[in-house]
């Protein structure tokens, strides 16, 4: 298949040392856990396995339907990058499957040696922690599995079991705790947000002469924008926030950001802790109701959109106050405004760029955009083509439903996982190189952070990674303030 790297030579155990840092005891306690494993952890884990399988009908089916055909073997970016056989999707599945058989099947209890059933020993738990935190839940393997087995379901179930017994990954648990306590992953208080937004307003005025506002906590608006907190200050994200503001300004939309819900991301998705997921989701709905907003628009973040699109109502209560009956993605909004002729655009503003698009996994394979089949693939490209005269597709088999992960999804954007992240990015880097373009546009905060970090390792510049909305913002023709 075009754009794919060759299957690596096997390197057993090569990735065993690429283990993410565990959550500190203080962080665990702040989230309601003991600092270490809970008492009777094996019994708790066994019960949790039974419950998660019972609740996930697809997982119950996946446990019994694998034919060991190998179709998934070379589809995982982490296996391609590390060569470790335990990073094969089927091997990760078996880490869960073998333990489940031992406790929850008759054959596993009576003749475990005959069916490969294994106890959840401390040593097995180490493998669980290592390799289920080397799955970004990207679902590429499921696209190629002849019976549709989704390894992400195994990874999510295993992490939920580990969460129940008090094992947490440092990065995901730390940002989850900050977001629950303060409203965003970075721990930014309201005054800091206000100062940042005021500074961005000044920057836009200096650059364009237009008085574009970035309002915070303004009641009685139509749109509540909830965006990743990285958009407030970090490159290449902040230009995306400026792009949103330009679009809303020119279209005349009444909108605001919220200090109560200043984070679109929900990292509790990657631990499986539903109480924490709900706490973060409720902040968004509370903010919208409190400000009287009739629309909730989610900024450019893949898993934030996955949670909002698929789970927000289940986590945070009815969305009957929304005029459109559902949350919206900011790219949907921009696409709609472009097609309605509400934006004045000059795509020549981006003529110094040859742009390709990275389909983020959580949008491409775990959600959708708009009300049309395949909208998650169509809508972003329609926007990019409207604002860029030089748009180029990457090779078939590396985009759309077959897109390669950036290498840091699934809550793996941790500094201590840089070696894994760099190796996992290799297939995407190869596809980008083959496209012969100057810029890679991504519509996910994690993808943008990861790609900008690993680009130099592959001979590219960080500045070659862009969000979609900076390209839109550059093309928007604003009228200077009188």
């Amino acid at each position: 298949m075009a754009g794919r790297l060759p299957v690596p030579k096997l390197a057993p155990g090569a990735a065993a040392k690429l283990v993410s840092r565990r959550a500190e005891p203080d962080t665990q306690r702040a989230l309601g856990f003991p600092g270490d494993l809970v008492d009777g952890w094996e019994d708790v884990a066994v019960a949790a396995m039974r419950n998660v399988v019972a609740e996930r009908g697809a997982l119950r089916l996946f446990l019994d339907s694998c034919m060991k055909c190998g179709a998934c073997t070379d589809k995982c970016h982490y296996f391609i990058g590390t060569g470790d056989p335990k990073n094969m999707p089927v091997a990760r599945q078996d880490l869960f499957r073998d333990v489940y058989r031992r406790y929850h099947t008759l054959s596993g209890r009576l003749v475990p040696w005959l069916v490969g059933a294994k106890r959840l020993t401390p040593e097995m738990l180490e493998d669980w922690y290592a390799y289920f935190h080397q799955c970004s839940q990207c679902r590429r393997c499921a696209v190629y599995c002849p019976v549709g087995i989704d390894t992400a379901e195994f990874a999510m179930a295993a992490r939920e079991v580990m969460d129940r017994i008090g094992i947490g990954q440092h990065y995901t648990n730390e940002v989850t705790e900050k977001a629950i306590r303060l409203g965003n992953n970075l721990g930014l208080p309201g005054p800091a947000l206000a100062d940042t937004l005021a500074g961005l307003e000044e920057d836009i005025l200096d650059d364009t002469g237009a008085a574009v506002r970035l309002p915070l906590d303004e009641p009685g608006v139509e749109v509540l924008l909830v965006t990743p907190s990285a958009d407030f200050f970090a490159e290449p994200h902040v230009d995306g926030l400026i792009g949103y503001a330009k679009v809303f300004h020119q279209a005349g939309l009444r909108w605001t950001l919220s200090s109560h819900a200043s984070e679109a991301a929900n990292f509790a998705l990657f631990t499986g802790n539903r109480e924490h997921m709900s706490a973060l989701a409720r902040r968004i709905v509370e903010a919208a109701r409190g400000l009287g907003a009739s629309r909730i628009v989610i900024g450019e973040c893949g898993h934030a959109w996955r949670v909002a699109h698929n789970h927000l109502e289940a986590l945070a209560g009815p969305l009957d106050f929304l005029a459109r009956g559902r949350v919206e993605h900011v790219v949907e909004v921009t696409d709609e405004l472009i097609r309605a002729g509400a934006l004045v655009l000059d795509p020549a503003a981006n003529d110094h760029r040859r742009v390709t698009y990275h389909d983020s996994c959580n949008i491409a394979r775990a959600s959708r955009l708009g009300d049309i089949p395949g909208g998650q693939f169509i809508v972003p490209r329609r926007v990019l083509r409207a604002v860029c005269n030089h748009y180029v597709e990457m090779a078939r088999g590396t985009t759309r439903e077959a897109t390669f992960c950036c290498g840091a999804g699934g809550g793996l954007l941790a500094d201590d996982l840089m070696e894994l992240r760099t190796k996992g990015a290799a297939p995407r880097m190869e596809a980008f190189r083959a496209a012969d373009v100057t810029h890679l546009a991504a519509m996910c905060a994690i993808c943008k952070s990861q790609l900008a970090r690993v680009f130099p390792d592959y001979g590219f510049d960080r500045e070659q990674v862009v969000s979609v909305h900076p390209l839109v913002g550059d093309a928007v023709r604003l009228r200077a303030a009188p």
Side-chain angles (χ1 to χ4, degrees), residues 156-177:
M156 289 188 288
R159 291 195 198 178
E160 184 172 341
V161 171
M162 287 187 281
D163 179 83
R164 300 276 183 88
I165 62 176
I167 294 179
Q169 189 225 35
H170 179 75
Y171 175 68
T172 54
N173 284 34
E174 183 180 46
V175 298
T176 297
E177 192 276 329

Side-chain angles (χ1 to χ4, degrees), residues 136-219:
S136 60
Q137 304 174 16
C138 82
R139 291 186 158 95
R140 191 172 192 267
C141 55
V143 172
Y144 291 91
C145 176
V147 292
I149 295 175
D150 183 357
T151 308
E153 290 290 333
F154 287 91
M156 289 188 288
R159 291 195 198 178
E160 184 172 341
V161 171
M162 287 187 281
D163 179 83
R164 300 276 183 88
I165 62 176
I167 294 179
Q169 189 225 35
H170 179 75
Y171 175 68
T172 54
N173 284 34
E174 183 180 46
V175 298
T176 297
E177 192 276 329
K178 286 180 181 176
I180 290 173
R181 180 165 47 90
L182 294 170
N184 60 71
N185 291 347
L186 302 174
L188 298 172
L193 292 176
D195 288 347
T196 297
L197 297 176
L200 293 178
E201 289 179 352
E202 293 178 7
D203 291 343
I204 298 172
L205 183 62
D206 291 342
D207 290 342
T208 68
V212 175
R213 297 192 60 232
L214 285 88
L216 181 67
D217 294 330
E218 290 198 4

Side-chain angles (χ1 to χ4, degrees), residues 207-238:
D207 290 342
T208 68
V212 175
R213 297 192 60 232
L214 285 88
L216 181 67
D217 294 330
E218 290 198 4
V221 295
E222 178 183 358
V223 172
L224 169 65
L225 174 68
V226 188
T227 193
S229 52
D231 282 359
F232 293 114
F233 80 100
E235 295 291 347
H237 312 271
V238 68

Side-chain angles (χ1 to χ4, degrees), residues 64 214 224 231 296 309 321 332 339 436:
D64 298 324
L214 285 88
L224 169 65
D231 282 359
I296 296 174
H309 178 266
F321 65 96
E332 290 182 85
R339 289 187 292 122
D436 190 26

